[in-house]
Amino acid sequence: MNIRLFSSVISVLLSVSSFSCLAEELNYGVVELSAQATQAVARDEMVLVLKIQQQGANRQQISHTVTTRLNQVLAVASRHDDFNTTQLTRTVEPRFDYLKDKRVDNGWQDSALIQVKSTNLSALNKFAADIQNLAAIVAINYQVADTTLQNYEAKLTQQAIARFRQRAVQIAHELGGHGYKVVSMSLGSSQDAQNYGAYAAPMLLSRVADSAPVQDTAAGETRLTLNINGKIQVTGLP
């Protein structure tokens, strides 16, 4: 055999052997494990969904009414710096019936949905009472504010990582090793499902009443969980 060819073959065989040993070393003593930290967190943000709706034969007239009320609601909400107000939708649709399988148009319907969020629960409850003559309450929901969620996630991450390390040390010791290396790690958080306090139909308050009672707050709490899943490689195994 040609000496140069023989050297090349030996080099390839050594490379394959080294790669096999390296692959075996990387997969040797690999253990999957998980850890988590959890805590009950008070829902500190209220989400209010309002609906303004008008029906009638004259499209321009009903749209003018909805626009006027919408602007009034937004104006009241803008007085509160701690309100986050979003107009969700605005739709104008024809109303019709079917008589003897024939469509008969009988007017228009104009609707607008508004969402208002705030951690100032008492102010938002009063706002809902104050605009009773302009909009109907569609849903009320309580959730954890983003800033609060981030703060708790940071604390729970530290706790979960500490527990991951404790378990890794314990596993390495039980297997007869003297340490470990982290091969991979993924983090994720979750919380209890948020249930909207939705009404079966929009709650239309009296158009003639001067004021409405302010709703008491019943925000409740949710359970926030931080999960860590990962792989470690136990070192120093016999």
Side-chain angles (χ1 to χ4, degrees):
M1 179 183 292
N2 184 285
I3 295 179
R4 183 173 298 177
L5 178 59
F6 178 76
S7 299
S8 298
V9 172
I10 293 299
S11 177
V12 171
L13 291 176
L14 289 175
S15 297
V16 172
S17 177
S18 299
F19 179 78
S20 299
C21 292
L22 180 60
E24 182 178 353
E25 180 181 349
L26 289 175
N27 291 293
Y28 180 68
V30 174
V31 179
E32 295 185 10
L33 68 150
S34 62
Q36 67 174 212
T38 184
Q39 182 170 342
V41 181
R43 295 188 175 102
D44 59 349
E45 184 172 62
M46 177 177 168
V47 182
L48 175 67
V49 181
L50 303 170
K51 186 173 187 178
I52 301 172
Q53 182 172 288
Q54 189 72 18
Q55 300 174 358
N58 188 305
R59 176 174 177 175
Q60 291 183 340
Q61 186 176 25
I62 66 169
S63 291
H64 179 270
T65 300
V66 171
T67 299
T68 300
R69 291 178 182 171
L70 175 61
N71 290 340
Q72 289 175 327
V73 172
L74 295 178
V76 176
S78 66
R79 299 172 191 167
H80 300 267
D81 294 334
D82 50 5
F83 282 12
N84 183 339
T85 307
T86 306
Q87 181 180 328
L88 300 177
T89 61
R90 176 71 185 270
T91 58
V92 181
E93 300 173 323
R95 290 174 53 82
F96 54 86
D97 294 316
Y98 281 96
L99 297 177
K100 297 180 180 181
D101 297 329
K102 182 179 181 181
R103 171 172 161 168
V104 178
D105 294 332
N106 56 19
W108 297 87
Q109 177 175 285
D110 193 330
S111 304
L113 279 180
I114 307 165
Q115 175 183 274
V116 187
K117 297 194 299 184
S118 180
T119 55
N120 190 341
L121 307 187
S122 60
L124 190 50
N125 275 321
K126 186 176 185 308
F127 167 79
D130 290 343
I131 52 88
Q132 57 157 331
N133 293 328
L134 301 173
I137 298 175
V138 175
I140 295 176
N141 180 42
Y142 297 99
Q143 63 186 21
V144 181
D146 289 342
T147 302
T148 305
L149 190 61
Q150 291 171 4
N151 291 335
Y152 275 102
E153 283 184 338
K155 296 176 183 178
L156 291 177
T157 298
Q158 294 177 351
Q159 295 176 18
I161 289 178
R163 292 174 182 175
F164 185 93
R165 288 174 173 170
Q166 291 173 359
R167 291 198 63 194
V169 170
Q170 179 185 7
I171 290 172
H173 175 74
E174 295 293 338
L175 292 177
H178 59 66
Y180 70 92
K181 296 178 181 179
V182 176
V183 177
S184 65
M185 179 182 290
S186 63
L187 290 81
S189 63
S190 62
Q191 59 177 304
D192 296 340
Q194 300 174 5
N195 297 320
Y196 272 87
Y199 296 91
M203 192 172 102
L204 295 172
L205 301 178
S206 172
R207 297 294 184 190
V208 296
D210 294 330
S211 62
V214 177
Q215 174 181 293
D216 293 332
T217 298
E221 63 182 22
T222 185
R223 183 161 296 277
L224 179 63
T225 303
L226 196 292
N227 299 289
I228 292 181
N229 296 296
K231 293 181 180 181
I232 62 169
Q233 183 178 39
V234 179
T235 58
L237 289 175

